[in-house]
């Protein structure tokens, strides 16, 4: 009995150890997966009051992060108000009423959209990256298809003609929320392209309802939040009412959902706080910047914060810790921020490819030789190319070098007799046709004629060739006379219509008259009957 209990206890202990080791392995794999994701660089894109769009690339080298400037553009005439990215598309909008579009693969501007008539406050891509939505002070909300950048839908009076402050799209891409200076929160059905319902915020928020600039969806899409002054209101989609209400000492400037139940809040005094929505407790409170925290963005376990002073900081966060990794100062007042996945610069790749192709072409040119040159790299090739030389070597037992062969050729040229070129030979050389050469050389002509006599098929051809080429002018004249004296062709003589002596009797005419007489008799009978 004791032995059985011992075996059971040993089995339970081994199972528990196996489970613990499996759990440790899974954690290690997750860490490796996260590290692999973070090893790929990403970019922080920032818009400024000074009309510049700046890009900073983040690199991870053995858990040491570096930030370097990647690009700077000045395509706007007024301050930039919003930046958004999806896949390799990047868009920026500002107070100059234009939306600038960029292709991050080629690092170039791909176009501009100028369909709004006032300052553009917010732009946002759908999660799939199929459309770009924008809202403006002219009171309109528009939808543009990505790729061809055609305007597909416009709501000209989305908030009854008043300015639209901000816009947020649901993670599914089927709904959108917007707030305006009319103090109403409107929900839009993006599938049908019309308004679903509206909530009046003035009774709850009073005057702050007209200046709401923060709307955020949770990653799951089950809740969303609004921020006004020092308050954050968390709404539930199921109940369509306020689920939680958070109050703070300082004014809320920006909010970012890190998880479904965890948010990061940036304040006007420069602090960053983490709040748990389940317990409504502040888990982290750090002094991040000297001035207000203007924007927040996150990727995996990294948080990016930007201040109005121009500082950009990279943090690694956890539920209970926030560690700073890098800091950069862009030297301008930051207004908006977006995190973009890094794409390979295809322009640099094409340049490298073109350089490689040029090098290959140069090598090919060097390898090309003139047709007159004969280059023998191996002695074996010489033996294969010249079998006579090989036979001579077998006789004498010596190999001749290439210099000896050239000297031999020059010696033979000197010994060859020189033939003087006569006038007749020049003429023969210049004549292209073979028939003229045969006529000039009678010996060759006789040989040809003898050969033709043997073949029966060439007799007619021989006669024709001789008649055409060796005919006298008198014979030609006779031929022409014969052609003139040819008799004319006789026409057929038509027989006369009247009978002539000796002509055959015309039976057809008599038969026709007989038929006529019969018909006339029948008619007379009918007439008599009628009478």
């Amino acid at each position: 009995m004791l032995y059985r209990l011992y075996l059971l206890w040993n089995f339970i202990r081994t199972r528990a150890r196996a489970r613990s080791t499996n759990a440790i392995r899974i954690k290690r794999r997750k860490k490796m997966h996260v590290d692999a994701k973070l090893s790929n660089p990403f970019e922080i894109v920032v818009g400024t009051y000074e009309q510049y769009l700046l890009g900073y690339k983040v690199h991870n080298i053995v858990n040491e992060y570096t930030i370097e400037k990647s690009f700077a553009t000045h395509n706007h005439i007024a301050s930039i108000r919003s930046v958004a990215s999806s896949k390799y598309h990047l868009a920026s909008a500002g107070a100059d009423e234009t939306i600038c579009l960029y292709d991050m693969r080629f690092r170039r501007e791909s176009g501009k959209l100028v369909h709004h008539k006032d300052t553009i406050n917010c732009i946002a891509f759908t999660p799939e990256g199929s459309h770009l939505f924008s809202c403006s002070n002219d009171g309109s909300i528009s939808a543009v298809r990505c790729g061809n950048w055609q305007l597909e839908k416009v709501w000209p009076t989305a908030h009854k003609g008043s300015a639209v402050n901000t816009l947020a799209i649901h993670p599914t891409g089927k709904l959108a929320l917007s707030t305006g200076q009319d103090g109403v929160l409107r929900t839009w059905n993006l599938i049908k392209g019309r308004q679903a319902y509206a909530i009046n915020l003035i009774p709850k928020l009073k005057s702050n309802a007209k200046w709401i600039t923060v709307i955020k969806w949770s990653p799951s899409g089950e809740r969303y939040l609004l921020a006004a002054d020092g308050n954050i209101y968390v709404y539930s989609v199921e109940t369509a009412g306020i689920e939680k209400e958070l109050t703070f000492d300082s004014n809320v400037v920006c909010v970012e959902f890190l998880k479904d139940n965890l948010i990061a809040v940036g304040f006007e005094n420069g602090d960053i706080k983490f709040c748990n929505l389940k317990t409504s407790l502040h888990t982290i409170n750090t002094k991040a910047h000297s001035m207000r925290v203007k924007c927040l963005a996150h990727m995996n376990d990294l948080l990016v914060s930007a201040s109005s002073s121009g500082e950009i900081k990279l943090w690694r966060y956890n539920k209970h810790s926030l560690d700073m990794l890098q800091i950069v100062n862009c030297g301008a007042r930051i207004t908006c921020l977006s995190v973009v996945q890094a794409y390979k610069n295809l322009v640099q790749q094409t340049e490298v490819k073109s350089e490689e192709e040029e090098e290959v072409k140069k090598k090919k040119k060097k390898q090309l030789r003139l047709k007159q040159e004969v280059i023998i790299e191996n002695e074996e090739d010489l033996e294969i190319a010249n079998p006579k030389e090989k036979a001579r070597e077998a006789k004498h037992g010596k190999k001749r070098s290439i210099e000896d062969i050239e000297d031999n050729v020059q010696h033979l040229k000197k010994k060859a007799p020189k033939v003087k070129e006569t006038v007749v030979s020049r003429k023969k050389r210049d004549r292209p046709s073979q028939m003229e050469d045969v006529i000039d050389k009678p010996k060759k002509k006789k040989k040809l004629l003898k050969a033709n006599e043997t073949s029966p098929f060439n007799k007619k051809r021989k006669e024709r060739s001789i008649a055409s080429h060796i005919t006298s002018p008198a014979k030609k004249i006779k031929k022409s006379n014969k052609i003139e004296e040819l008799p004319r062709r006789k026409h057929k003589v038509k027989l006369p219509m009247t009978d002539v002596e000796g002509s055959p009797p015309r039976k057809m005419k008599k038969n026709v008259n007989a038929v006529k007489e019969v018909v006339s008799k029948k008619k007379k009978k009918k007439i008599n009957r009628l009478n």
Side-chain angles (χ1 to χ4, degrees):
M1 187 70 182
L2 291 170
Y3 183 68
R4 287 180 182 177
L5 287 171
Y6 172 74
L7 290 173
L8 183 63
W9 175 76
N10 197 6
F11 176 73
I12 291 165
R13 188 178 65 177
T14 53
R15 287 293 299 276
R17 283 179 182 176
R19 283 176 185 173
S20 62
T21 53
N22 285 332
I24 291 162
R25 283 174 185 171
I26 289 162
K27 283 181 181 179
R28 283 177 182 173
R29 283 175 186 172
K30 284 182 178 178
K31 283 182 180 180
M32 288 171 70
H33 185 63
V34 170
D35 292 336
K37 280 185 177 178
L38 296 175
S39 62
N40 296 325
F42 65 92
E43 281 187 88
I44 302 166
V45 181
V46 170
T48 63
Y49 275 112
E50 287 77 12
Q51 308 160 14
Y52 282 96
L53 190 72
L54 307 173
Y56 293 90
K57 193 170 279 188
V58 179
H59 294 279
N60 179 17
I61 304 165
V62 193
N63 292 327
E64 290 184 3
Y65 291 89
T66 58
I67 299 174
E68 60 176 2
K69 197 171 184 179
S70 56
F71 69 88
T73 61
H74 190 200
N75 293 323
H76 289 275
I77 304 167
S79 62
I80 299 170
R81 299 295 178 88
S82 182
V83 177
S85 64
S86 176
K87 297 178 182 178
Y88 54 84
H89 296 303
L90 179 70
S92 63
D96 57 353
E97 306 171 11
T98 60
I99 299 171
C100 293
L101 305 168
Y102 306 92
D103 193 334
M104 297 304 289
R105 298 172 300 175
F106 297 96
R107 302 281 170 165
R108 66 186 180 193
E109 186 182 1
S110 56
K112 285 187 179 182
L113 303 174
V114 201
H115 54 271
H116 286 291
K117 297 177 182 178
D118 206 340
T119 301
I120 300 165
N121 293 319
C122 183
I123 56 174
F125 283 96
T126 55
E128 295 176 355
S130 59
H131 290 80
L132 173 67
F133 285 82
S134 59
C135 60
S136 172
N137 281 344
D138 61 3
S140 66
I141 297 173
S142 63
V144 178
R145 180 173 284 280
C146 296
N148 56 8
W149 306 111
Q150 290 185 357
L151 190 65
E152 286 203 348
K153 183 70 178 177
V154 178
W155 294 276
T157 56
H159 285 259
K160 294 185 177 179
S162 59
V164 186
N165 295 330
T166 187
L167 183 77
I169 297 170
H170 194 266
T172 59
K174 296 178 181 179
L175 293 173
L177 296 173
S178 66
T179 58
Q181 289 185 6
D182 59 348
V184 179
L185 174 68
R186 298 183 188 273
T187 307
W188 302 90
N189 188 339
L190 300 181
I191 295 169
K192 295 181 179 179
R194 64 188 184 190
Q195 183 179 315
Y197 54 89
I199 301 169
N200 191 1
L201 301 174
I202 292 171
K204 181 71 179 174
L205 306 178
K206 296 180 181 179
S207 62
N208 293 327
K210 295 183 178 181
W211 304 105
I212 291 172
T213 57
V214 179
I215 303 178
K216 289 287 177 180
W217 283 99
S218 66
S220 63
E222 294 176 358
R223 56 171 66 93
Y224 60 91
L225 60 82
L226 304 175
D229 283 347
N231 298 321
I232 293 176
Y233 303 95
V234 182
Y235 286 80
S236 175
V237 174
E238 288 182 2
T239 60
I242 295 172
E243 188 180 13
K244 289 282 175 72
E245 187 176 345
L246 304 172
T247 56
F248 302 96
D249 298 333
S250 181
N251 290 337
V252 177
V253 180
C254 56
V255 184
E256 183 71 13
F257 265 101
L258 304 176
K259 293 178 183 178
D260 282 337
N261 296 318
L262 186 66
I263 58 170
V265 187
F267 295 94
E268 199 169 14
N269 58 7
D271 291 349
I272 293 176
K273 290 183 180 181
F274 283 15
C275 298
N276 193 339
L277 297 178
K278 281 185 177 179
T279 58
S280 301
L281 296 174
H282 305 163
T283 57
I284 296 172
N285 188 3
T286 57
K287 184 72 176 175
H289 298 276
S290 58
M291 294 179 70
R292 62 178 175 176
V293 182
K294 188 67 179 173
C295 341
L296 288 170
H298 82 286
M299 180 174 278
N300 299 325
D301 63 343
L302 297 177
L303 181 71
V304 182
S305 63
S307 172
S308 296
S309 62
E311 283 182 346
I312 301 169
K313 289 187 178 182
L314 183 67
W315 310 81
R316 175 169 274 162
Y317 70 87
N318 201 350
K319 284 184 180 179
H320 304 286
S321 66
L322 188 65
D323 303 324
M324 193 181 73
L325 301 173
Q326 276 294 335
I327 182 171
V328 173
N329 197 327
C330 67
R333 292 174 293 171
I334 295 169
T335 56
C336 51
L337 180 143
S338 179
V339 176
V340 184
Q341 289 181 358
Y343 284 87
K344 290 181 181 179
N345 193 347
L346 297 180
V347 176
Q348 290 180 359
Q349 286 184 359
T350 51
E351 287 177 357
V352 170
K353 283 182 181 179
S354 63
E355 288 176 0
E356 289 176 356
E357 286 175 359
E358 286 178 0
E359 288 178 0
V360 170
K361 284 180 181 178
K362 286 179 181 178
K363 287 180 181 178
K364 284 183 179 178
K365 282 182 182 178
K366 286 178 181 178
Q367 288 176 0
L368 289 172
R369 304 281 184 179
L370 291 170
K371 288 182 180 178
Q372 293 177 356
E373 293 181 352
V374 179
I375 297 160
I376 299 165
E377 294 180 354
N378 301 323
E379 292 180 357
E380 294 175 0
D381 297 339
L382 180 63
E383 291 175 3
I384 293 160
N386 197 350
K388 290 181 180 178
E389 193 70 22
K390 192 176 179 181
R392 191 178 293 164
E393 286 166 11
K395 272 189 180 181
H396 301 286
K398 287 183 182 180
K399 281 191 177 182
R400 295 172 68 189
S401 63
I402 296 163
E403 293 176 358
D404 295 337
I405 292 162
E406 288 177 356
D407 294 336
N408 192 8
V409 169
Q410 289 177 3
H411 182 67
L412 290 168
K413 282 181 181 178
K414 287 177 182 178
K415 282 187 175 182
K418 292 181 180 179
V419 180
K420 290 183 179 181
E421 194 174 7
T422 59
V423 178
V424 178
S425 62
R426 280 179 206 160
K427 286 181 182 179
K428 288 176 185 176
R429 184 187 64 192
D430 296 334
R431 286 175 185 170
S433 64
Q434 191 179 357
M435 197 65 201
E436 288 176 356
D437 294 336
V438 171
I439 293 161
D440 290 336
K441 296 178 181 179
K443 290 181 181 179
K444 283 186 180 180
K445 181 181 166 185
K446 284 179 183 178
K447 287 179 183 178
L448 285 168
L449 291 170
K450 283 178 183 178
N452 289 331
E453 280 174 5
T454 56
S455 60
F457 298 104
N458 294 328
K459 284 182 180 180
K460 289 182 181 180
R461 187 164 53 181
K462 183 182 71 173
E463 289 171 2
R464 285 174 192 169
S465 62
I466 292 162
S468 58
H469 290 282
I470 315 170
T471 51
S472 61
K475 285 183 182 179
K476 285 183 183 178
I477 291 160
K478 282 180 184 178
K479 283 182 184 177
S480 62
N481 290 335
K482 281 180 183 178
I483 289 161
E484 288 175 4
E485 290 173 2
L486 281 170
R488 290 185 182 180
R489 224 171 148 187
K490 292 180 180 180
H491 298 287
K492 290 181 181 179
V493 180
K494 290 182 180 180
L495 296 171
M497 294 298 290
T498 56
D499 292 334
V500 185
E501 289 180 3
S503 62
R506 293 194 291 173
K507 292 179 181 179
M508 283 297 292
K509 196 170 183 183
K510 288 177 182 179
N511 292 337
V512 171
N513 292 332
V515 171
K516 283 181 181 179
E517 286 176 2
V518 171
V519 172
S520 61
K521 283 178 183 180
K522 285 181 181 179
K523 281 183 182 180
K524 283 178 183 180
K525 283 180 182 180
K526 282 181 184 180
I527 292 161
N528 292 330
R529 284 175 191 173
L530 292 169
N531 293 329

